[in-house]
Amino acid sequence: HLVVTTFHAGSAAEAVSRLSDMGIEPYLLRSGLLAILSQRLLRRLCSCAQTSHKEEDRLGLHVEEWKVPAGCADCGQTGYLGRVVLTEMLQPNHVDVTNAILNQADSTALHKLAIQSGMRTQWDRALQAVNQGITSPAEVRRILGMTRTEN
């Protein structure tokens, strides 16, 4: 049976830890999970956004190009209009990831293994969105926090 459900966790790897904390046996997690999708919503910059060259507007993010909200009548002077989704999908189909699940590795170790097996993180996608002018560095920091955890 396919079951799709939702619950709160900070990342896809943290969701595995949460399921384990709920009493689900590691062998059931390993064999029963097809994928875990973690998502966050970021505010999308309005068309009134302006390109910035001020270093402080980057908020320490390593981005090539960035825009900042300006504000207009369309966005109610907020600089943002609509939302964009950030996702990461952990698929327990890599041997190191499945072994980590079986050994009840902590979420940090599982997250690193998932990245090594090819998972694109929310941070990766957020930095891409900033470089494409979809959202601002300030919005990424507001939603994902100040610490990039995957390195």
Side-chain angles (χ1 to χ4, degrees), residues 8-57:
H8 293 276
S11 69
E14 287 179 29
V16 174
S17 294
R18 292 273 319 274
L19 290 168
S20 182
D21 291 344
M22 290 178 196
I24 299 173
E25 294 294 332
Y27 72 92
L28 291 173
L29 287 174
R30 188 196 68 66
S31 64
L33 284 176
L34 295 177
I36 295 177
L37 183 72
S38 178
Q39 66 182 22
R40 302 274 180 102
L41 291 175
L42 293 177
R43 294 180 296 175
R44 180 184 295 271
L45 282 169
C46 179
S47 59
C48 67
Q50 300 172 349
T51 302
S52 177
H53 299 289
K54 296 181 195 170
E55 189 62 30
E56 61 268 17
D57 286 340

Side-chain angles (χ1 to χ4, degrees), residues 54-73:
K54 296 181 195 170
E55 189 62 30
E56 61 268 17
D57 286 340
R58 281 174 49 154
L59 290 172
L61 296 181
H62 300 292
V63 291
E64 300 161 16
E65 214 173 87
W66 64 99
K67 290 186 176 183
V68 294
C72 67

Side-chain angles (χ1 to χ4, degrees), residues 4 18 36-37 50 78 84 93 97 102 116 124:
V4 179
R18 292 273 319 274
I36 295 177
L37 183 72
Q50 300 172 349
T78 65
V84 62
N93 56 2
V97 174
L102 283 173
Q116 290 170 4
D124 293 336

